Amino acid sequence: MDSYNAPESTPSASSRPEDYFIGATPLQKRLESVRKQSSFIPTPPRRKIPQCSQLQEDVDPQKVALLLHKQWTLYSLTPLYKFSYSNLKEYSRLLNAFIVAEKQKGLAVEVGEDFNIKVIFSTLLGMKGTQRDPEAFLVQIVSKSQLPSENREGKVLWTGWFCCIFGDSLLETVSEDFTCLPLFLANGAESNTAIIGTWFQKTFDCYFSPLAINAFNLSWMAAMWTACKMDHYVATTEFLWSVPCSPQSLDISFAIHPEDAKALWDSVHKTPGEVTQEEVDLFMDCLYSHFHRHFKIHLSATRLVRVSTSVASAHTDGKIKILCHKYLIGVLAYLTELAIFQIE
Amino acid sequence: MSPQKRFKNVQAQNRTSQGSSSFQTTLSAWKVKQDPSNSKNISKHGQNNPVGDYEHADDQAEEDALQMAVGYFEKGPIKASQNKDKTLEKHLKTVENVAWKNGLASEEIDILLNIALSGKFGNAVNTRILKCIIPATVISEDSVVKAVSWLCVGKCSGSTKVLFYRWLVAMFDFIDRKEQINLLYGFFFASLQDDALCPYVCHLLYLLTKKENVKPFRVRKLLDLQAKMGMQPHLQALLSLYKFFAPALISVSLPVRKKIYFKNSENLWKTALLAVKQRNRGPSPEPLKLMLGPANVRPLKRKWNSLSVIPVLNSSSYTKECGKKEMSLSDCLNRSGSFPLEQLQSFPQLLQNIHCLELPSQMGSVLNNSLLLHYINCVRDEPVLLRFYYWLSQTLQEECIWYKVNNYEHGKEFTNFLDTIIRAECFLQEGFYSCEAFLYKSLPLWDGLCCRSQFLQLVSWIPFSSFSEVKPLLFDHLAQLFFTSTIYFKCSVLQSLKELLQNWLLWLSMDIHMKPVTNSPLETTLGGSMNSVSKLIHYVGWLSTTAMRLESNSTFLLHFILDFYEKVCDIYINYNLPLVVLFPPGIFYSALLSLDTSILNQLCFIMHRYRKNLTAAKKNELVQKTKSEFNFSSKTYQEFNHYLTSMVGCLWTSKPFGKGIYVDPEILEKTGVAEYKNSLNVVHHPSFLSYAVSFLLQESPEERTVNVSSIRGKKWSWYLDYLFSQGLQGLKLFIRSSVHHVPRAEGINCNNQY
């Protein structure tokens, strides 16, 4: 087949491609960034190893405790239109009435009425990568105890939070009418997530999409989290591969002592403070060859579906559990990056 | 006004209101005007059409009887009259007959409503009167207001009240104005207390409620009623309308399954209503009723994310009202200043209110609303566009059946969604950036089969941009599919690239002319734009050449390729853009030596248009004198002249292998064709040979053997006329412009070197 060679253009034009986008509208800028993203490998070839963030010190430790050791379902979220942090109280009231109305289809409820559930909006001060990142916030649904004498704050039925960690690439492209919190994490019944998501979509003209993590990104997580310096390990490093075969798929689990994993990482790691694509590939290849030597199975032919470390564990379905307080921001930064990639 | 005078008016009104719709009344009106001395004429007329005349007379009698009946009712029952019941019955019958047949004039309705609700007669009579108050065309608002005022006096029974509300709901659309009635909103609302009336009042309020009627105290009242009566469908409907207008005050979600919310109050008047509608059809369009929102019709869907793919149109009331239960004065003023979306129904309305339009809470909903599409097309408001961009990008990604996961189950739905988008793009004559971004992401994963027609249409609506930037993202992926797919796929791709070219050209030709007025979104130089277009054309040339080889010079494919060049050859003249790009040799010679006459004809047409465009360009250059940036290089002219020489050689001068196509004489010897020189012209060219034979047979049908070489001299021009008569217009234009007048000097004299 011929290689395509555009003959010299007919009009003797002097312009170069950059001439096209002088003073382009924000939408064109946005398209430009999509083009850039689509034309290269989807993720940059190097990233920082998660560090302990300074800003994270401000976060209320009680709230951090709420976020750790829970399994979160991940969603990406487009910028919220006309969201205001000063209206959180009002949002609670509206969302509360909305949920009640949705649950008892057909029965109207007054906004502000006293219901047996309560919606609480609260900010997660300090949960950000840079000062420019908008404040993260938390939404909780709490069941109110019927008996007034008992503990007023009842059981937490559902929790969800919105955050943006190092979201510069997204923040640059939107105006002040929008609040960019591209990462949404939910814990609780999916029916609740559905109701609350619907309310947000209607109210702030945003869009939730489930955020899956592909094997490529799981490998990156494995490498980055193994690279984190830990005082003590709380869990073994474990990988789960899935072999698609009928009638039932076969899962292969591979657990390694975290210190061994760290030692392996140190042996492939060269650039201080950073993780590169080559290092990730090498790290995974070492695991594959080790496994092959013992079991004669080529793991590279299967699909990586889950990675668990002492820092966090992630499943390809878009589920995550963060274990280590120190690297909370680091883990979220990478998830934010994936979420932004999905909404760009 | 004396009663007599008024009756005349009534009559006149009755006629004018019916005149256009009822032939019979028109005639009767004409008859009344006749002088009694003309009765002869009438009887003559009557003889011709006895049945008609009988009916007219009948009508007239009815008219009089109705007047008398109404007059009777207005006076009230005459006590101590002997024949009271009989007279009453007679008059009631009259009114009923006329009402059900032709409807009543608004003045008559006014009087009858008054009578029915004032309690002059008994309950049974009131009921009968109310049941037959059917308008001929419209009901005046004043009559309704007056009637409502009777309700306060307490002279009518509960059942009459119920019937009146049912009547009001049924006739709501025929009331000429509703402002005054809306002022009575509070009164109606108070009537909700009455358990018997409640369902009908709910229905009336449902029809009547405007945004400003929704007040916190009313919301609370309705909720109290709900608490008292439980989940009543009529209350649900009204509550959901309240929620629609004031989501910050109330929340309700209706069951997904369709349900009837109001008892059918119209049953009593079903046939009459139909007749009125028929009478009214034409001048006054039926007023649009507020819909309950699609909650009651949309099917249950699999995802929580969206009950239907495209959100429902809803004003953005949340964001505005947030935090304020009591509305401040400035809020109220603002509110009256903004134009609610629910009322937007016509283009003039859009134009008048474009500065104060209340935008939908979910921008995606504009996709189903052509008026708002106009709006987002001309608005340069960044948040509006960005909201739409995000919504469309994400929805495309989520709905796409092959992008995230392969889920071909919902293929139909995705196809419908794409169709909606394409309709919107065609409507606006502009592509959406979200679709372009979506193509970047999804094209590499596309199998070339799924939603092919839709997907390729999206390609043709890619907004104009730099070709070299788009090529690696889109066209390289498309080329892979192109080369590995069937000929039909290739043709569809070429078709959509032709449309893409056309869209770009239209956009650019508009943009150049608009430039002084608006800021073009792409601040391009004309040279840059032309460069991009020319790259697209060259790219398609490359695709076509390769495809021709892969498909072994398929005529079918060649048609699609030449269609593309039919657009290309006319850019200078049709779009007023300084660009002429010729086709690659691989296409030109394949077409020239094709066995298909229609191909050759199309080629002739294209060459003819190229010639027109190039001469026009040359002329402009000479006029302008100054050396412009867009003088075509001499190469283009040389190339064209070269093609032209080949063509004239092959079709006219029978010198095919001299100047144009060069083939080594030794090779020609080897072919064994003795007279290769004469084997290519308008007679001997394989695609014309059959025409030549038919021509000769037509000349002398008896001939056993035909000698095509005999077509020369005079016969040659007859033959040409024969060809032209066979519909070969392209050939005709080509020969007329490029050959006929200068048969010897082939080529055109617009070479730069001259």
Side-chain angles (χ1 to χ4, degrees):
Chain A
M1 210 175 281
D2 296 30
S3 68
Y4 166 73
N5 275 316
E8 225 177 289
S9 56
T10 317
S12 51
S14 58
S15 67
R16 264 158 284 135
E18 26 311 2
D19 291 349
Y20 283 89
F21 290 99
I22 316 159
T25 64
L27 271 185
Q28 260 131 15
K29 278 189 214 148
R30 149 130 271 106
L31 196 65
E32 273 299 88
S33 78
V34 176
R35 281 183 188 162
K36 258 180 223 140
Q37 268 196 356
S38 312
S39 42
F40 306 114
I41 313 160
T43 43
R46 56 181 65 231
R47 288 197 181 81
K48 274 190 190 147
I49 293 174
Q51 300 289 317
C52 193
S53 152
Q54 287 306 306
L55 290 160
Q56 200 186 321
E57 303 299 316
D58 307 337
V59 190
D60 179 359
Q62 265 189 322
K63 284 201 172 144
V64 172
L66 279 177
L67 311 179
L68 296 177
H69 301 284
K70 256 197 197 107
Q71 178 162 286
W72 300 101
T73 307
L74 302 172
Y75 294 85
S76 68
L77 179 65
T78 61
L80 303 162
Y81 178 66
K82 294 263 161 119
F83 174 85
S84 161
Y85 286 95
S86 55
N87 281 344
L88 293 186
K89 268 231 169 73
E90 181 64 16
Y91 297 152
S92 311
R93 274 160 32 86
L94 288 170
L95 181 54
N96 202 341
F98 183 81
I99 295 168
V100 173
E102 280 293 323
K103 295 237 157 148
Q104 44 184 32
K105 282 248 183 246
L107 209 60
V109 295
E110 189 184 358
V111 173
E113 208 182 305
D114 209 23
F115 306 113
N116 57 359
I117 59 153
K118 200 175 158 195
V119 176
I120 307 162
F121 275 66
S122 59
T123 51
L124 293 166
L125 287 174
M127 188 70 82
K128 44 166 82 173
T130 66
Q131 284 300 346
R132 275 191 70 192
D133 285 334
E135 219 67 67
F137 69 90
L138 183 77
V139 180
Q140 283 171 298
I141 303 180
V142 182
S143 75
K144 272 197 283 190
S145 156
Q146 297 299 319
L147 301 164
S149 58
E150 277 183 47
N151 189 7
R152 276 299 289 173
E153 290 308 307
K155 209 176 130 212
V156 175
L157 297 176
W158 183 94
T159 315
W161 47 299
F162 301 73
C163 71
C164 176
I165 312 290
F166 297 109
D168 290 4
S169 66
L170 181 64
L171 295 170
E172 279 161 13
T173 54
V174 297
S175 63
E176 60 207 5
D177 289 324
F178 294 94
T179 307
C180 297
L181 293 162
L183 184 64
F184 171 68
L185 306 94
N187 172 272
E190 201 185 332
S191 59
N192 280 328
T193 312
I195 295 172
I196 291 151
T198 307
W199 184 82
F200 270 91
Q201 291 191 152
K202 281 186 176 168
T203 313
F204 304 110
D205 203 359
C206 53
Y207 198 103
F208 289 81
S209 327
L211 180 64
I213 310 168
N214 60 27
F216 177 83
N217 291 322
L218 280 176
S219 315
W220 264 92
M221 287 175 177
M224 284 197 297
W225 297 344
T226 307
C228 292
K229 280 195 183 71
M230 299 288 286
D231 301 331
H232 67 283
Y233 293 100
V234 293
T236 51
T237 303
E238 192 191 346
F239 297 83
L240 191 72
W241 283 275
S242 164
V243 186
C245 59
S246 59
Q248 271 179 325
S249 67
L250 181 70
D251 287 343
I252 300 171
S253 164
F254 181 9
I256 314 163
H257 193 280
E259 274 162 18
D260 294 343
K262 180 75 162 85
L264 172 64
W265 170 255
D266 287 340
S267 71
V268 299
H269 180 53
K270 286 186 193 71
T271 32
E274 276 184 341
V275 180
T276 65
Q277 183 67 59
E278 295 79 49
E279 288 169 359
V280 174
D281 293 343
L282 199 56
F283 178 67
M284 293 308 287
D285 284 347
C286 288
L287 292 174
Y288 292 152
S289 60
H290 178 77
F291 197 84
H292 184 252
R293 202 166 54 230
H294 289 280
F295 303 103
K296 299 284 173 278
I297 292 173
H298 289 286
L299 285 175
S300 53
T302 66
R303 200 164 64 98
L304 182 59
V305 293
R306 200 183 71 208
V307 170
S308 330
T309 71
S310 289
V311 172
S313 75
H315 192 278
T316 189
D317 292 346
K319 300 241 162 62
I320 193 142
K321 190 188 270 183
I322 304 169
L323 304 174
C324 174
H325 168 250
K326 196 170 151 196
Y327 296 114
L328 178 61
I329 291 289
V331 170
L332 292 173
Y334 186 53
L335 294 175
T336 305
E337 188 189 319
L338 296 182
I340 291 178
F341 178 73
Q342 181 157 295
I343 62 171
E344 282 287 348
Chain B
M1 207 187 261
S2 75
Q4 229 184 349
K5 218 170 171 185
R6 191 164 65 209
F7 273 133
K8 259 186 196 156
N9 270 347
V10 169
Q11 224 178 5
Q13 171 75 26
N14 195 8
R15 275 188 212 119
T16 44
S17 61
Q18 292 188 8
S20 58
S21 52
S22 164
F23 175 69
Q24 288 174 3
T25 29
T26 324
L27 260 188
S28 78
W30 164 79
K31 225 165 75 176
V32 174
K33 273 187 221 147
Q34 300 291 319
D35 203 71
S37 59
N38 280 352
S39 56
K40 226 180 172 181
N41 272 346
I42 298 168
S43 63
K44 232 184 197 171
H45 173 80
Q47 271 164 6
N48 291 342
N49 190 359
V51 182
D53 192 50
Y54 173 74
E55 276 182 8
H56 301 155
D58 206 36
D59 267 5
Q60 184 56 40
E62 257 176 20
E63 197 77 28
D64 295 340
L66 180 66
Q67 284 176 28
M68 279 182 50
V70 173
Y72 166 81
F73 284 122
E74 204 180 19
K75 276 191 216 117
I78 303 146
K79 293 193 181 117
S81 163
Q82 274 186 330
N83 294 337
K84 188 186 149 199
D85 286 348
K86 251 191 184 168
T87 329
L88 177 66
E89 181 60 29
K90 190 190 95 190
H91 287 309
L92 261 178
K93 271 261 152 64
T94 311
V95 175
E96 278 170 349
N97 280 342
V98 176
W100 282 91
K101 201 169 151 202
N102 294 325
L104 303 170
S106 59
E107 277 82 355
E108 288 156 359
I109 291 175
D110 188 75
I111 295 163
L112 289 173
L113 264 179
N114 222 16
I115 296 158
L117 297 168
S118 63
K120 274 184 195 169
F121 292 87
N123 231 353
V125 178
N126 292 342
T127 306
R128 277 180 72 181
I129 293 179
L130 266 177
K131 277 190 184 165
C132 72
I133 301 186
I134 296 157
T137 48
V138 292
I139 298 165
S140 105
E141 185 186 22
D142 285 344
S143 320
V144 177
V145 173
K146 265 192 267 173
V148 172
S149 69
W150 278 113
L151 296 181
C152 313
V153 186
K155 285 213 169 170
C156 49
S157 68
S159 64
T160 312
K161 275 187 191 170
V162 168
L163 190 63
F164 172 70
Y165 276 109
R166 291 177 70 181
W167 176 84
L168 199 51
V169 167
M171 302 299 166
F172 193 78
D173 287 347
F174 305 118
I175 301 171
D176 54 356
R177 296 159 66 85
K178 285 158 193 135
E179 284 83 3
Q180 296 289 326
I181 298 178
N182 191 270
L183 294 179
L184 299 173
Y185 193 91
F187 172 76
F188 293 128
F189 194 88
S191 311
L192 285 172
Q193 304 275 37
D194 189 329
D195 286 352
L197 290 182
C198 185
Y200 307 103
V201 175
C202 266
H203 196 170
L204 177 66
L205 290 175
Y206 185 77
L207 298 173
L208 203 59
T209 302
K210 289 189 200 162
K211 203 169 186 170
E212 52 268 29
N213 298 126
V214 181
K215 297 274 161 60
F217 72 87
R218 287 194 180 130
V219 170
R220 229 160 283 141
K221 187 78 218 163
L222 281 180
L223 290 166
D224 285 350
L225 273 176
Q226 183 188 251
K228 204 176 89 190
M229 302 199 290
M231 225 186 269
Q232 298 293 334
H234 49 271
L235 268 182
Q236 276 182 344
L238 188 58
L239 280 162
S240 72
L241 186 68
Y242 268 45
K243 183 218 160 191
F244 180 77
F245 285 130
L249 295 177
I250 182 175
S251 196
V252 64
S253 87
L254 291 181
V256 176
R257 259 178 299 128
K258 194 184 164 85
K259 215 172 159 185
I260 294 163
Y261 290 99
F262 296 109
K263 285 180 196 153
N264 204 347
S265 312
E266 306 178 5
N267 269 346
L268 277 175
W269 294 277
K270 214 169 198 172
T271 48
L273 289 175
L274 232 74
V276 181
K277 272 179 198 157
Q278 220 140 43
R279 279 197 289 267
N280 285 356
R281 190 165 295 159
S284 62
E286 199 181 322
L288 269 132
K289 282 189 196 171
L290 262 176
M291 299 297 286
L292 239 192
N296 49 348
V297 284
R298 67 193 167 200
L300 197 63
K301 260 201 66 176
R302 70 216 127 97
K303 275 168 296 175
W304 63 270
N305 230 339
S306 46
L307 284 164
S308 63
V309 180
I310 301 168
V312 188
L313 201 64
N314 236 332
S315 291
S316 49
S317 19
Y318 272 127
T319 37
K320 243 192 204 165
E321 283 166 28
C322 265
K324 283 157 238 151
K325 202 161 187 184
E326 260 66 49
M327 281 165 277
S328 67
L329 182 65
S330 68
D331 256 355
C332 287
L333 292 175
N334 279 340
R335 181 174 310 270
S336 59
S338 71
F339 189 79
L341 272 184
E342 296 79 35
Q343 286 174 27
L344 185 67
Q345 265 146 29
S346 70
F347 191 68
Q349 266 183 332
L350 174 71
L351 289 185
Q352 276 162 22
N353 299 293
I354 200 152
H355 59 287
C356 58
L357 210 59
E358 230 171 63
L359 290 173
S361 62
Q362 283 174 284
M363 212 37 92
S365 55
V366 303
L367 207 55
N368 271 336
N369 184 313
S370 55
L371 287 172
L372 287 177
L373 276 176
H374 276 307
Y375 179 78
I376 69 155
N377 195 32
C378 68
V379 78
R380 286 276 157 252
D381 184 23
E382 191 213 321
V384 169
L385 299 175
L386 209 53
R387 284 161 70 192
F388 183 70
Y389 172 89
Y390 273 123
W391 174 80
L392 188 53
S393 307
Q394 292 298 296
T395 313
L396 277 168
Q397 255 181 54
E398 283 303 305
E399 293 294 313
C400 182
I401 47 183
W402 68 85
Y403 178 62
K404 277 179 108 175
V405 277
N406 286 347
N407 179 5
Y408 292 91
E409 220 176 289
H410 299 284
K412 187 90 191 88
E413 211 170 344
F414 184 55
T415 314
N416 290 342
F417 182 55
L418 288 181
D419 279 332
T420 311
I421 295 171
I422 291 158
R423 260 201 310 281
E425 288 186 326
C426 289
F427 174 74
L428 296 175
Q429 288 291 301
E430 198 171 293
F432 298 129
Y433 285 109
S434 324
C435 294
E436 186 179 345
F438 170 66
L439 284 175
Y440 295 160
K441 289 185 167 189
S442 60
L443 189 61
L445 305 171
W446 186 43
D447 61 0
L449 281 172
C450 229
C451 313
R452 177 194 289 176
S453 137
Q454 286 80 7
F455 213 63
L456 289 177
Q457 280 184 77
L458 284 187
V459 169
S460 66
W461 280 111
I462 295 171
F464 174 76
S465 58
S466 152
F467 181 78
S468 16
E469 268 182 61
V470 182
K471 183 178 166 284
L473 298 165
L474 268 180
F475 295 107
D476 286 351
H477 296 291
L478 196 59
Q480 283 176 10
L481 281 171
F482 181 84
F483 290 130
T484 51
S485 300
T486 62
I487 184 166
Y488 302 106
F489 183 80
K490 293 188 175 84
C491 294
S492 332
V493 169
L494 287 171
Q495 169 91 12
S496 69
L497 289 174
K498 182 187 86 180
E499 275 153 23
L500 174 69
L501 175 71
Q502 178 176 309
N503 290 334
W504 280 17
L505 291 173
L506 274 172
W507 194 86
L508 283 172
S509 61
M510 290 301 291
D511 191 53
I512 284 171
H513 301 123
M514 304 269 281
K515 216 148 224 176
V517 193
T518 57
N519 259 339
S520 134
L522 295 176
E523 204 63 52
T524 54
T525 59
L526 181 58
S529 310
M530 288 303 104
N531 197 7
S532 188
V533 175
S534 111
K535 275 185 183 154
L536 170 68
I537 297 170
H538 283 300
Y539 182 77
V540 177
W542 170 72
L543 277 184
S544 310
T545 312
T546 318
M548 281 298 281
R549 229 179 297 159
L550 287 172
E551 298 295 339
S552 37
N553 294 328
S554 155
T555 309
F556 187 66
L557 180 69
L558 195 50
H559 268 298
F560 281 86
I561 296 170
L562 289 185
D563 275 350
F564 179 80
Y565 281 99
E566 250 186 70
K567 276 271 162 313
V568 173
C569 67
D570 251 344
I571 293 175
Y572 190 87
I573 290 178
N574 273 359
Y575 300 93
N576 204 7
L577 293 171
L579 185 69
V580 179
V581 183
L582 292 168
F583 26 40
I587 300 306
F588 173 76
Y589 289 111
S590 300
L592 181 60
L593 301 175
S594 160
L595 298 181
D596 188 281
T597 327
S598 64
I599 290 282
L600 205 55
N601 184 50
Q602 207 177 354
L603 179 72
C604 286
F605 177 76
I606 292 169
M607 284 300 283
H608 163 72
R609 293 308 304 174
Y610 266 132
R611 184 197 166 89
K612 285 260 176 207
N613 279 265
L614 281 169
T615 21
K618 190 84 191 168
K619 213 180 261 168
N620 268 351
E621 271 172 40
L622 290 175
V623 170
Q624 285 175 352
K625 295 270 183 204
T626 48
K627 198 142 172 68
S628 127
E629 191 190 353
F630 300 108
N631 283 350
F632 300 124
S633 73
S634 56
K635 225 178 115 201
T636 312
Y637 290 103
Q638 277 168 7
E639 227 179 313
F640 175 77
N641 280 336
H642 184 79
Y643 283 156
L644 194 64
T645 315
S646 305
M647 249 179 108
V648 174
C650 283
L651 294 181
W652 198 259
T653 57
S654 315
K655 288 175 191 152
F657 304 114
K659 276 186 181 171
I661 315 166
Y662 178 78
V663 182
D664 199 321
E666 270 182 44
I667 295 169
L668 286 171
E669 293 288 330
K670 277 184 194 162
T671 60
V673 180
E675 273 207 77
Y676 64 81
K677 268 193 180 164
N678 278 329
S679 60
L680 280 176
N681 60 32
V682 84
V683 176
H684 290 92
H685 190 292
S687 68
F688 283 121
L689 212 52
S690 63
Y691 282 92
V693 173
S694 324
F695 169 71
L696 287 175
L697 285 175
Q698 207 181 37
E699 290 278 285
S700 40
E702 307 301 307
E703 207 72 40
R704 280 249 161 211
T705 54
V706 286
N707 178 12
V708 285
S709 304
S710 69
I711 303 177
R712 55 178 72 225
K714 259 243 159 75
K715 225 175 184 179
W716 178 278
S717 29
W718 292 340
Y719 173 61
L720 279 185
D721 287 338
Y722 171 75
L723 284 180
F724 300 159
S725 75
Q726 296 298 303
L728 301 177
Q729 285 303 309
L731 181 74
K732 183 174 175 178
L733 289 167
F734 175 75
I735 289 183
R736 289 267 158 85
S737 66
S738 301
V739 182
H740 218 243
H741 302 300
V742 276
R744 276 176 203 289
E746 61 270 24
I748 55 171
N749 293 344
C750 48
N751 198 307
N752 251 6
Q753 291 138 340
Y754 279 57

